[in-house]
Amino acid sequence: MKSTTELPFVRGFVRLCEIGDKLGFHERNGGNTSYHLTDDEIRAARALLKGRKPGPWTDVDPKGDVAVPQLAGHWFLVTGSGKFMRNVAYDTEDSIALCELDGDGSHYRIRWGLCNGGRPTSEFSSHLMIHEVKFRVSGGRTRVLYHAHPPCLIAMTYVVPANDKAVTRALWNTMTETSVIFPKGVGAVKWMVPGGRAIAVATAKLMEKYDDAIWFFHGALCSADTFDNAMGQMEVLEKSAKIFMTVQSSGMKRLGAIVPAGYRAIAKAFNLNLPTRFL
Ligand code: 13P
Ligand code: ZN
């Protein structure tokens, strides 16, 4: 292997960004992605980058408010702030960065990427706080965080209350298999300023029990073990929201819904433990 862009996790990352753009989830620089490297992937990247001078150590959070000690020394691939998702495949080395955290998880340095300058996404500190939670609760399985601005999902947040139960019930009650994709439910984060500590703390708390959270009037954040699953979850969120909004705006009387006994049958058929509070 000769170049960093040939590393399998870089290829998967680029593909996710490309698909998200094609699906209309990213206007301009809307959305961002981060990937938490495994030890083997760090070794492979190190070997390729041998002799290359790393960038300077920089605060993870410009205000110096955030540290992720449980991720000290870990590496992340992340989109650059202000970079357009549609350019990630077209000009990869300009659009994304491979970052290494320092020994206490409060500073990062760029090992590769953002070749024309720039910094990781403005939500890098939020991503890291969520990765820290997910690393702990998933036993290291969760690797991908994907934030997007899917239009129907955002529209839905104007007509559904900002709580987990309302959002989960609305989404589950669209396609029969939505509850199978989100068996734990989906978290709701009321409107907050993006990139700040408050939205990071609120989302990280929800991510202890959910894999996906909706940011009201903004978008969603999905966490998963693979790029396919992160994208798959975002697609199902958006498609479910599209069905919800279509039904809402049809002007027709709603004649049916999936009833609690239906969910219990789904749980049995798919061997799931669907929380009763969402039925
Ligand atoms: P960045 O360009 O800094 O990643 O911001 C995009 C975004 O969607 C913020 O919520
Ligand atoms: Zn956003």
Side-chain angles (χ1 to χ4, degrees):
M1 192 166 309
K2 291 195 192 69
S3 83
T4 309
T5 50
E6 289 172 57
L7 290 165
F9 70 87
V10 180
R11 295 183 61 206
F13 186 101
V14 170
R15 185 162 174 263
L16 175 139
C17 297
E18 205 174 6
I19 294 170
D21 175 57
K22 287 200 178 113
L23 289 172
F25 292 175
H26 305 285
E27 73 295 337
R28 209 178 174 279
N29 67 308
N32 38 60
T33 312
S34 62
Y35 177 75
H36 185 177
L37 276 69
T38 64
D39 291 344
D40 284 348
E41 288 165 339
I42 295 175
R43 266 190 289 279
R46 268 189 201 284
L48 272 181
L49 298 172
K50 216 168 172 176
R52 240 179 124 118
K53 193 171 173 281
W57 289 109
T58 308
D59 268 320
V60 156
D61 174 51
K63 288 193 191 131
D65 266 358
V66 175
V68 283
Q70 289 171 55
L71 301 179
H74 291 219
W75 288 38
F76 293 84
L77 185 62
V78 62
T79 45
S81 185
K83 299 295 181 181
F84 293 18
M85 282 286 187
R86 72 179 63 114
N87 290 342
V88 169
Y90 169 74
D91 196 355
T92 306
E93 199 169 347
D94 172 70
S95 305
I96 66 178
L98 189 53
C99 300
E100 174 188 12
L101 296 187
D102 69 355
D104 64 8
S106 62
H107 295 81
Y108 72 89
R109 61 179 178 179
I110 296 177
R111 301 295 306 243
W112 173 88
L114 287 177
C115 59
N116 298 307
R119 49 181 300 137
T121 169
S122 55
E123 285 167 337
F124 191 37
S125 60
S126 307
H127 279 241
L128 289 176
M129 284 170 69
I130 296 162
H131 274 298
E132 192 177 46
V133 167
K134 279 296 178 194
F135 190 63
R136 174 167 49 80
V137 299
S138 75
R141 279 175 60 79
T142 298
R143 294 280 155 187
V144 184
L145 291 186
Y146 175 43
H147 164 53
H149 296 175
C152 299
L153 191 69
I154 297 171
M156 191 183 123
T157 64
Y158 290 88
V159 295
V160 170
N163 67 69
D164 306 355
K165 185 171 174 180
V167 162
T168 300
R169 285 171 68 117
L171 291 167
W172 275 14
N173 222 309
T174 55
M175 299 193 289
T176 292
E177 284 171 44
T178 299
S179 61
V180 178
I181 308 302
F182 307 111
K184 303 173 195 170
V186 175
V189 181
K190 70 178 171 67
W191 186 85
M192 291 186 203
V193 176
R197 196 180 151 77
I199 195 167
V201 169
T203 311
K205 189 160 181 276
L206 285 174
M207 289 306 214
E208 300 252 355
K209 54 181 171 176
Y210 302 118
D211 291 330
D212 308 273
I214 295 180
W215 288 348
F216 269 59
F217 321 141
H218 181 161
L221 190 121
C222 297
S223 68
D225 50 351
T226 63
F227 294 109
D228 273 347
N229 281 333
M231 177 53 75
Q233 285 155 226
M234 194 65 79
E235 275 186 286
V236 176
L237 283 179
E238 173 63 354
K239 187 162 183 178
S240 302
K242 188 171 185 177
I243 294 166
F244 177 87
M245 293 308 288
T246 306
V247 174
Q248 286 284 116
S249 50
S250 72
M252 309 276 286
K253 187 167 177 252
R254 195 169 176 152
L255 298 177
I258 304 170
V259 296
Y263 287 117
R264 280 193 278 273
I266 290 172
K268 197 165 169 215
F270 289 87
N271 200 17
L272 300 169
N273 189 7
L274 299 179
T276 50
R277 70 182 187 284
F278 296 142
L279 302 190

